[in-house]
Tab-separated table of all heavy atoms in Angstrom:
chain	number	residue	atom	x	y	z
A	57	VAL	N	59.508	55.461	4.209
A	57	VAL	CA	58.093	55.110	4.326
A	57	VAL	C	57.517	55.717	5.597
A	57	VAL	O	58.247	56.258	6.430
A	57	VAL	CB	57.881	53.570	4.305
A	57	VAL	CG1	58.389	52.979	3.004
A	57	VAL	CG2	58.530	52.904	5.498
A	58	THR	N	56.211	55.610	5.759
A	58	THR	CA	55.592	56.134	6.978
A	58	THR	C	55.851	55.176	8.136
A	58	THR	O	55.954	53.956	7.920
A	58	THR	CB	54.067	56.314	6.812
A	58	THR	OG1	53.471	55.036	6.608
A	58	THR	CG2	53.736	57.248	5.655
A	59	PRO	N	55.938	55.676	9.350
A	59	PRO	CA	56.185	54.802	10.507
A	59	PRO	C	55.153	53.678	10.650
A	59	PRO	O	55.498	52.572	11.052
A	59	PRO	CB	56.120	55.749	11.697
A	59	PRO	CG	56.462	57.089	11.134
A	59	PRO	CD	55.908	57.086	9.727
A	60	THR	N	53.901	53.946	10.283
A	60	THR	CA	52.861	52.925	10.437
A	60	THR	C	52.940	51.828	9.392
A	60	THR	O	52.228	50.834	9.495
A	60	THR	CB	51.468	53.567	10.416
A	60	THR	OG1	51.380	54.404	9.259
A	60	THR	CG2	51.209	54.366	11.675
A	61	GLU	N	53.830	51.978	8.413
A	61	GLU	CA	54.054	50.899	7.453
A	61	GLU	C	55.013	49.857	8.020
A	61	GLU	O	55.061	48.729	7.523
A	61	GLU	CB	54.616	51.443	6.142
A	61	GLU	CG	53.592	52.206	5.330
A	61	GLU	CD	54.171	52.753	4.059
A	61	GLU	OE1	54.303	51.964	3.095
A	61	GLU	OE2	54.504	53.954	4.021
A	62	ILE	N	55.769	50.227	9.054
A	62	ILE	CA	56.723	49.266	9.618
A	62	ILE	C	56.585	49.052	11.120
A	62	ILE	O	57.100	48.084	11.641
A	62	ILE	CB	58.183	49.636	9.280
A	62	ILE	CG1	58.531	51.029	9.772
A	62	ILE	CG2	58.438	49.512	7.804
A	62	ILE	CD1	59.997	51.361	9.612
A	63	PHE	N	55.863	49.935	11.813
A	63	PHE	CA	55.677	49.792	13.262
A	63	PHE	C	54.201	49.689	13.595
A	63	PHE	O	53.370	50.353	12.993
A	63	PHE	CB	56.217	51.010	14.023
A	63	PHE	CG	57.675	51.289	13.846
A	63	PHE	CD1	58.113	52.541	13.438
A	63	PHE	CD2	58.631	50.317	14.101
A	63	PHE	CE1	59.464	52.817	13.282
A	63	PHE	CE2	59.987	50.579	13.944
A	63	PHE	CZ	60.397	51.841	13.534
A	64	ARG	N	53.862	48.857	14.587
A	64	ARG	CA	52.545	48.920	15.224
A	64	ARG	C	52.757	49.681	16.510
A	64	ARG	O	53.652	49.374	17.302
A	64	ARG	CB	52.009	47.522	15.551
A	64	ARG	CG	51.286	46.807	14.437
A	64	ARG	CD	49.864	47.282	14.141
A	64	ARG	NE	48.917	47.091	15.213
A	64	ARG	CZ	48.301	45.947	15.494
A	64	ARG	NH1	48.523	44.868	14.777
A	64	ARG	NH2	47.457	45.891	16.498
A	65	THR	N	51.936	50.686	16.701
A	65	THR	CA	52.061	51.514	17.896
A	65	THR	C	50.784	51.458	18.718
A	65	THR	O	49.693	51.255	18.193
A	65	THR	CB	52.384	52.983	17.536
A	65	THR	OG1	51.395	53.496	16.645
A	65	THR	CG2	53.747	53.103	16.884
A	66	ALA	N	50.965	51.634	19.998
A	66	ALA	CA	49.846	51.709	20.934
A	66	ALA	C	49.972	53.019	21.686
A	66	ALA	O	51.062	53.569	21.837
A	66	ALA	CB	49.879	50.537	21.910
A	67	ALA	N	48.844	53.505	22.150
A	67	ALA	CA	48.801	54.731	22.944
A	67	ALA	C	47.549	54.664	23.807
A	67	ALA	O	46.649	53.854	23.544
A	67	ALA	CB	48.761	55.967	22.047
A	68	PRO	N	47.465	55.502	24.824
A	68	PRO	CA	46.242	55.502	25.625
A	68	PRO	C	45.004	55.672	24.752
A	68	PRO	O	44.978	56.494	23.828
A	68	PRO	CB	46.444	56.699	26.558
A	68	PRO	CG	47.937	56.771	26.716
A	68	PRO	CD	48.466	56.432	25.349
A	69	CYS	N	44.012	54.848	25.020
A	69	CYS	CA	42.759	54.861	24.256
A	69	CYS	C	42.133	56.251	24.298
A	69	CYS	O	42.000	56.850	25.354
A	69	CYS	CB	41.808	53.826	24.850
A	69	CYS	SG	40.178	53.811	24.095
A	70	ALA	N	41.733	56.732	23.121
A	70	ALA	CA	41.119	58.055	23.011
A	70	ALA	C	39.640	58.041	23.395
A	70	ALA	O	39.012	59.099	23.467
A	70	ALA	CB	41.282	58.585	21.593
A	71	ALA	N	39.084	56.869	23.606
A	71	ALA	CA	37.682	56.707	24.019
A	71	ALA	C	36.761	57.527	23.108
A	71	ALA	O	36.762	57.329	21.907
A	71	ALA	CB	37.517	57.035	25.486
A	72	MET	N	35.991	58.427	23.648
A	72	MET	CA	34.983	59.153	22.883
A	72	MET	C	35.568	60.039	21.785
A	72	MET	O	34.839	60.448	20.881
A	72	MET	CB	34.103	59.981	23.821
A	72	MET	CG	33.234	59.133	24.740
A	72	MET	SD	32.202	57.896	23.895
A	72	MET	CE	31.070	58.966	23.016
A	73	ALA	N	36.851	60.326	21.814
A	73	ALA	CA	37.485	61.103	20.746
A	73	ALA	C	37.811	60.238	19.530
A	73	ALA	O	38.253	60.747	18.512
A	73	ALA	CB	38.755	61.777	21.271
A	74	CYS	N	37.566	58.942	19.620
A	74	CYS	CA	37.886	58.001	18.541
A	74	CYS	C	36.644	57.661	17.726
A	74	CYS	O	35.581	57.388	18.290
A	74	CYS	CB	38.482	56.720	19.125
A	74	CYS	SG	38.875	55.477	17.867
A	75	GLN	N	36.814	57.631	16.425
A	75	GLN	CA	35.706	57.288	15.525
A	75	GLN	C	35.200	55.860	15.697
A	75	GLN	O	34.081	55.540	15.317
A	75	GLN	CB	36.137	57.496	14.078
A	75	GLN	CG	37.270	56.576	13.645
A	75	GLN	CD	37.740	56.826	12.231
A	75	GLN	OE1	37.045	57.454	11.443
A	75	GLN	NE2	38.919	56.327	11.905
A	76	HIS	N	36.015	54.981	16.291
A	76	HIS	CA	35.620	53.579	16.457
A	76	HIS	C	34.952	53.293	17.805
A	76	HIS	O	34.459	52.193	18.012
A	76	HIS	CB	36.844	52.661	16.308
A	76	HIS	CG	37.469	52.718	14.959
A	76	HIS	ND1	36.871	52.220	13.825
A	76	HIS	CD2	38.647	53.238	14.547
A	76	HIS	CE1	37.642	52.410	12.786
A	76	HIS	NE2	38.730	53.027	13.193
A	77	PHE	N	34.957	54.254	18.713
A	77	PHE	CA	34.454	54.017	20.064
A	77	PHE	C	32.980	54.402	20.145
A	77	PHE	O	32.581	55.479	19.702
A	77	PHE	CB	35.277	54.817	21.072
A	77	PHE	CG	35.104	54.365	22.486
A	77	PHE	CD1	35.623	53.158	22.916
A	77	PHE	CD2	34.428	55.155	23.401
A	77	PHE	CE1	35.471	52.732	24.233
A	77	PHE	CE2	34.268	54.738	24.717
A	77	PHE	CZ	34.790	53.535	25.133
A	78	ASP	N	32.160	53.536	20.716
A	78	ASP	CA	30.715	53.793	20.780
A	78	ASP	C	30.236	54.249	22.159
A	78	ASP	O	29.042	54.305	22.409
A	78	ASP	CB	29.927	52.570	20.314
A	78	ASP	CG	30.022	51.379	21.261
A	78	ASP	OD1	30.597	51.501	22.367
A	78	ASP	OD2	29.508	50.303	20.888
A	79	GLY	N	31.158	54.560	23.041
A	79	GLY	CA	30.792	54.968	24.391
A	79	GLY	C	31.059	53.877	25.404
A	79	GLY	O	31.201	54.136	26.590
A	80	LYS	N	31.129	52.645	24.933
A	80	LYS	CA	31.405	51.504	25.789
A	80	LYS	C	32.495	50.609	25.196
A	80	LYS	O	33.378	50.155	25.888
A	80	LYS	CB	30.127	50.689	25.997
A	80	LYS	CG	30.291	49.447	26.851
A	80	LYS	CD	28.957	48.717	27.019
A	80	LYS	CE	29.105	47.432	27.779
A	80	LYS	NZ	29.643	46.331	26.990
A	81	ASP	N	32.399	50.344	23.898
A	81	ASP	CA	33.291	49.392	23.240
A	81	ASP	C	33.997	49.990	22.028
A	81	ASP	O	33.516	50.948	21.425
A	81	ASP	CB	32.493	48.172	22.750
A	81	ASP	CG	31.966	47.326	23.890
A	81	ASP	OD1	32.713	47.093	24.857
A	81	ASP	OD2	30.801	46.898	23.818
A	82	CYS	N	35.082	49.334	21.663
A	82	CYS	CA	35.797	49.655	20.432
A	82	CYS	C	35.155	48.839	19.311
A	82	CYS	O	35.248	47.613	19.295
A	82	CYS	CB	37.285	49.306	20.568
A	82	CYS	SG	38.200	49.505	19.030
A	83	ARG	N	34.491	49.529	18.405
A	83	ARG	CA	33.828	48.821	17.305
A	83	ARG	C	34.850	48.240	16.328
A	83	ARG	O	34.552	47.264	15.640
A	83	ARG	CB	32.839	49.745	16.602
A	83	ARG	CG	31.633	50.084	17.493
A	83	ARG	CD	30.566	50.865	16.760
A	83	ARG	NE	31.081	52.010	16.041
A	83	ARG	CZ	31.027	53.271	16.452
A	83	ARG	NH1	30.483	53.564	17.614
A	83	ARG	NH2	31.512	54.247	15.711
A	84	LEU	N	36.054	48.825	16.260
A	84	LEU	CA	37.095	48.252	15.404
A	84	LEU	C	37.445	46.846	15.902
A	84	LEU	O	37.508	45.899	15.117
A	84	LEU	CB	38.337	49.139	15.374
A	84	LEU	CG	39.530	48.595	14.573
A	84	LEU	CD1	39.152	48.335	13.125
A	84	LEU	CD2	40.702	49.565	14.678
A	85	ALA	N	37.640	46.707	17.195
A	85	ALA	CA	37.941	45.387	17.769
A	85	ALA	C	36.797	44.410	17.488
A	85	ALA	O	37.034	43.246	17.154
A	85	ALA	CB	38.199	45.501	19.267
A	86	MET	N	35.577	44.898	17.606
A	86	MET	CA	34.415	44.039	17.337
A	86	MET	C	34.422	43.561	15.885
A	86	MET	O	34.195	42.378	15.618
A	86	MET	CB	33.119	44.804	17.635
A	86	MET	CG	32.917	45.108	19.109
A	86	MET	SD	31.588	46.296	19.430
A	86	MET	CE	30.164	45.366	18.937
A	87	ARG	N	34.669	44.486	14.944
A	87	ARG	CA	34.672	44.111	13.523
A	87	ARG	C	35.826	43.158	13.202
A	87	ARG	O	35.670	42.239	12.388
A	87	ARG	CB	34.748	45.359	12.638
A	87	ARG	CG	33.465	46.186	12.645
A	87	ARG	CD	33.463	47.266	11.584
A	87	ARG	NE	34.579	48.190	11.668
A	87	ARG	CZ	34.627	49.288	12.421
A	87	ARG	NH1	33.594	49.608	13.204
A	87	ARG	NH2	35.688	50.076	12.408
A	88	ILE	N	36.972	43.368	13.826
A	88	ILE	CA	38.123	42.479	13.609
A	88	ILE	C	37.750	41.048	13.986
A	88	ILE	O	37.998	40.103	13.240
A	88	ILE	CB	39.351	42.978	14.384
A	88	ILE	CG1	39.934	44.203	13.680
A	88	ILE	CG2	40.405	41.887	14.547
A	88	ILE	CD1	40.991	44.953	14.479
A	89	VAL	N	37.137	40.890	15.144
A	89	VAL	CA	36.767	39.553	15.623
A	89	VAL	C	35.640	38.953	14.777
A	89	VAL	O	35.650	37.768	14.465
A	89	VAL	CB	36.382	39.609	17.116
A	89	VAL	CG1	35.724	38.327	17.573
A	89	VAL	CG2	37.621	39.906	17.952
A	90	GLU	N	34.685	39.782	14.371
A	90	GLU	CA	33.544	39.289	13.603
A	90	GLU	C	33.897	38.920	12.168
A	90	GLU	O	33.350	37.975	11.613
A	90	GLU	CB	32.436	40.350	13.567
A	90	GLU	CG	31.743	40.557	14.879
A	90	GLU	CD	30.801	41.766	14.858
A	90	GLU	OE1	30.644	42.416	13.799
A	90	GLU	OE2	30.238	42.066	15.924
Side-chain angles (χ1 to χ4, degrees):
V57 300
T58 64
T60 51
E61 288 179 79
I62 57 173
F63 300 126
R64 275 284 296 280
T65 56
C69 176
M72 293 306 293
C74 179
Q75 64 183 343
H76 297 291
F77 196 71
D78 68 7
K80 179 179 176 282
D81 292 317
C82 174
R83 291 187 310 259
L84 176 58
M86 292 168 67
R87 289 190 303 274
I88 286 169
V89 168
E90 290 171 3

